Amino acid sequence: MTDNSQVLIFDTTLRDGEQSPGATMSHNEKLEIAGLLDEMGVDIIEAGFPIASEGDFAAVSDIAKNSKNSVICGLSRANFKDIDRCWEAVKHAARPRIHTFIGTSPSHREITKLNQDEMVERIFETVTHARNLCEDVQWSAMDAIRTERDYLCRVVETAIKAGATTINIPDTVGYTLPDESADIIRMLLEKVPGASDVVFATHCHNDLGMATANSLAAVSAGARQIECTINGLGERAGNTALEEVVMALRVRKDLMPYETKIDTTKIMNLSRRVSQVSGFAVQFNKAIVGKNAFLHESGIHQDGVLKNVETFEIMKPADIGITETNIAMGKHSGRAALRSKLKELGYDLADNQLQDVFVRFKALADRKKEVYDEDILALMTDSVVNTGEDHLQVKKLRVVCGSDGQEADLVMTVAGEEKKATCEGDGPVDACFNAVKQIFPHGARLKLYQVQAVTDGTDAQATVMVRLEEDGRIVTGSAADTDTILASVKAYVGALNRLILRRTKTAPDADMKTVSFKE
């Protein structure tokens, strides 16, 4: 049992977050995000689902080997094969954890074809097996909120008797409300023998927009672990957002006098990085980390903030790592200024990385009168696509458009081999995408094309997001440039590179009817 004054932060960005359609991360990106989470002070990092694919296993294993502070956790279904594979991946960590789960609600019992007694037996056997491998075992009752209360008490008691050290009560479908979330935790603590000897966790989805409220309500009733993701990334409408619960615990200590180890000044940097590698843009009005979170439009608000910032702000930008200093950036700025600005924004680059970004920065500065922080962040987004390691790379683009038609001349490399295409289309973007498809034939369908200006003015950079779908695989690519058409092509090619990565992920044989992958 943890100190009752402490709330443990369990981050599942690399597992539940990556399950978001299109949010696939590369091996190196996962290691980078895990390192940032470890550095931030996250108590437990759920690094992935080891049996899902060889790629997932390798990522969890490497994260376990590289972790310095956090517990490294892997997910497994309620069978010995999953649990053994999970242990093989996490055992390298200084502090490993096996997380096993099974759906306990009537609808999930129907899927598994287990009656109540058979499921209790399955839970006891699998949790016991996990505990024989690892001292730290977490058990989850998937769809706990829609499980009969008496039966929920029974399966929780079974898991505790089998050796589980953490009991997770997920709101898998985002169905609960705060009062109910608190009542269930309170009931389990009062009724289940041995409940005081384990940590209760809450894992809330955001289908009704209440994930954070439900998580905090569970904490108020005695839960001491919150499962969450950066930016709320996750299945369907997402999960409880790490930044929201951490800052709520910090701001409202009068109501929730609990401690966490999270270094909140690293929140904004991590939020931006997860947005970049996942391809999921953060909405402007997103709590804590949205672009508008600390902006004031109303004259009354502006006047109040100028007189006393606390009039309309409950936290300071610096609390989450938004710097209040400013370095004017432009075409005369050198490497030292750029390095300083990047550090200010949360990026510490090696010399070779800085050189690559500096070249891009100078090219941008030649096209813009003033380079804003948002431009540099977009530049960093663009620097993670079209790298020398990508299968597909954009080399040259020329577009002719007007009332007489649109035509695109495109030069790309495919696995290092240069290829060219000239295509027409219904518009300049369509012509470019046709050229890409001619060079690299594929069956992916365009599901989303979104353009967003990074800053104001006719010289503003555009950030483009492209989402593709092929045979159930959904991938996202994003890129930024002052040339919207070029950014569109780079985003499209970036999505294709992610699709190629997804094609290489093959899951080993498993009984898919036993338990769903989703929590």
Side-chain angles (χ1 to χ4, degrees):
M1 179 68 183
T2 187
D3 179 355
N4 203 43
S5 67
Q6 183 183 8
V7 173
L8 302 175
I9 301 299
F10 177 112
D11 185 274
T12 183
T13 302
L14 298 175
R15 200 277 298 171
D16 198 326
E18 206 209 9
Q19 287 179 191
S20 300
T24 301
M25 303 178 197
S26 71
H27 184 87
N28 288 338
E29 288 169 345
K30 288 182 180 180
L31 265 61
E32 178 191 355
I33 297 301
L36 293 172
L37 291 168
D38 193 40
E39 183 181 321
M40 176 191 267
V42 166
D43 297 281
I44 306 102
I45 299 172
E46 188 165 52
F49 201 160
I51 203 159
S53 71
E54 292 300 322
D56 249 32
F57 178 88
V60 176
S61 181
D62 283 352
I63 289 169
K65 292 172 184 175
N66 293 326
S67 63
K68 295 181 175 62
N69 305 301
S70 302
V71 172
I72 302 302
C73 175
L75 186 67
S76 63
R77 293 167 295 183
N79 63 67
F80 288 4
K81 183 179 179 181
D82 269 41
I83 291 168
D84 289 343
R85 187 66 168 163
C86 181
W87 173 243
E88 284 299 311
V90 302
K91 69 180 183 181
H92 305 289
R95 301 168 64 198
R97 173 181 291 190
I98 294 174
H99 178 193
T100 185
F101 72 98
I102 195 168
T104 55
S105 68
S107 59
H108 283 277
R109 295 200 302 270
E110 183 177 343
I111 292 172
T112 60
K113 306 301 181 186
L114 297 173
N115 62 37
Q116 290 190 357
D117 291 340
E118 290 169 336
M119 181 164 285
V120 166
E121 185 177 352
R122 173 76 67 85
I123 292 167
F124 188 83
E125 290 175 347
T126 53
V127 173
T128 298
H129 182 68
R131 184 57 191 267
N132 286 337
L133 296 171
C134 183
E135 292 184 358
D136 189 353
V137 175
Q138 175 168 321
W139 178 78
S140 289
M142 183 166 64
D143 205 16
I145 301 300
R146 297 191 297 175
T147 300
E148 306 94 320
R149 296 294 179 262
D150 287 345
Y151 188 60
L152 183 60
C153 288
R154 183 182 175 190
V155 293
V156 167
E157 181 180 356
T158 299
I160 293 173
K161 285 181 177 179
T165 51
T166 298
I167 300 294
N168 182 35
I169 306 300
D171 180 19
T172 303
V173 294
Y175 180 71
T176 195
L177 301 179
D179 285 350
E180 182 181 44
S181 178
D183 287 344
I184 290 174
I185 296 296
R186 196 175 293 115
M187 174 201 69
L188 292 170
L189 285 168
E190 291 173 354
K191 291 187 175 183
V192 175
S196 61
D197 298 325
V198 300
V199 173
F200 275 85
T202 179
H203 178 121
C204 298
H205 282 259
N206 204 39
D207 297 69
L208 294 177
M210 298 191 186
T212 296
N214 291 332
S215 293
L216 293 172
V219 168
S220 71
R224 287 296 175 267
Q225 177 178 296
I226 298 178
E227 304 203 355
C228 47
T229 61
I230 299 297
N231 299 337
L233 194 66
E235 295 276 359
R236 304 181 311 279
N239 291 282
T240 299
L242 179 148
E243 60 274 8
E244 293 175 5
V245 292
V246 168
M247 294 310 295
L249 289 170
R250 176 170 176 169
V251 170
R252 293 308 307 268
K253 283 193 176 297
D254 55 327
L255 295 179
M256 296 175 291
Y258 311 117
E259 299 297 328
T260 73
K261 298 190 301 182
I262 299 296
D263 181 353
T264 64
T265 63
K266 299 184 183 299
I267 285 176
M268 182 56 77
N269 175 39
L270 191 47
S271 169
R272 288 163 173 166
R273 192 67 186 111
V274 168
S275 175
Q276 290 165 2
V277 302
S278 68
F280 278 60
V282 177
Q283 66 193 58
F284 280 17
N285 62 336
K286 173 77 169 63
I288 315 297
V289 294
K291 183 177 179 180
N292 291 347
F294 294 95
L295 296 181
H296 303 273
E297 178 76 15
S298 160
I300 294 175
H301 282 232
Q302 290 174 342
D303 180 65
V305 168
L306 288 171
K307 292 175 178 175
N308 180 359
V309 70
E310 293 182 359
T311 306
F312 289 106
E313 288 186 6
I314 60 173
M315 66 195 85
K316 299 176 182 178
D319 291 343
I320 61 167
I322 299 177
T323 180
E324 296 177 337
T325 62
N326 183 51
I327 298 175
M329 301 297 294
K331 66 179 182 180
H332 300 297
S333 300
R335 287 180 183 80
L338 179 60
R339 184 188 291 277
S340 176
K341 171 57 72 175
L342 287 168
K343 282 187 175 181
E344 183 181 302
L345 295 173
Y347 296 96
D348 191 2
L349 304 185
D351 290 343
N352 59 333
Q353 294 173 307
L354 179 66
Q355 178 59 27
D356 177 65
V357 176
F358 183 69
V359 170
R360 296 169 185 262
F361 165 75
K362 294 296 279 189
L364 175 65
D366 283 338
R367 302 195 298 268
K368 286 179 64 69
K369 293 181 179 179
E370 186 173 358
V371 180
Y372 299 95
D373 287 1
E374 290 82 1
D375 289 310
I376 294 175
L377 290 170
L379 200 66
M380 292 301 297
T381 301
D382 190 47
S383 71
V384 301
V385 300
N386 202 36
T387 69
E389 299 178 356
D390 287 334
H391 186 77
L392 306 174
Q393 298 181 58
V394 178
K395 291 299 181 184
K396 187 177 181 181
L397 176 66
R398 178 177 176 272
V399 180
V400 177
C401 59
S403 58
D404 294 334
Q406 291 79 31
E407 184 179 84
D409 294 324
L410 177 65
V411 180
M412 288 176 52
T413 60
V414 181
E417 180 183 353
E418 189 170 290
K419 297 188 177 184
K420 302 178 182 179
T422 298
C423 291
E424 296 181 347
D426 293 333
V429 173
D430 186 53
C432 291
F433 286 7
N434 288 339
V436 172
K437 195 167 185 178
Q438 182 173 311
I439 292 174
F440 183 73
H442 60 84
R445 293 182 298 160
L446 182 64
K447 305 293 289 184
L448 173 71
Y449 172 73
Q450 180 176 302
V451 181
Q452 176 183 306
V454 175
T455 51
D456 297 327
T458 57
D459 61 353
Q461 280 194 101
T463 294
V464 178
M465 180 183 293
V466 169
R467 188 169 297 161
L468 303 177
E469 185 271 334
E470 180 190 66
D471 298 331
R473 303 183 187 95
I474 300 177
V475 293
T476 304
S478 62
D481 201 280
T482 53
D483 186 326
T484 304
I485 307 301
L486 180 56
S488 301
V489 175
K490 290 160 76 175
Y492 189 67
V493 169
L496 288 174
N497 279 317
R498 287 184 178 273
L499 182 60
I500 294 168
L501 177 65
R502 286 291 297 274
R503 287 173 179 171
T504 65
K505 284 193 171 187
T506 54
D509 292 336
D511 181 6
M512 302 302 289
K513 295 180 181 178
T514 304
V515 183
S516 166
F517 271 78
K518 299 177 182 179
E519 180 183 288

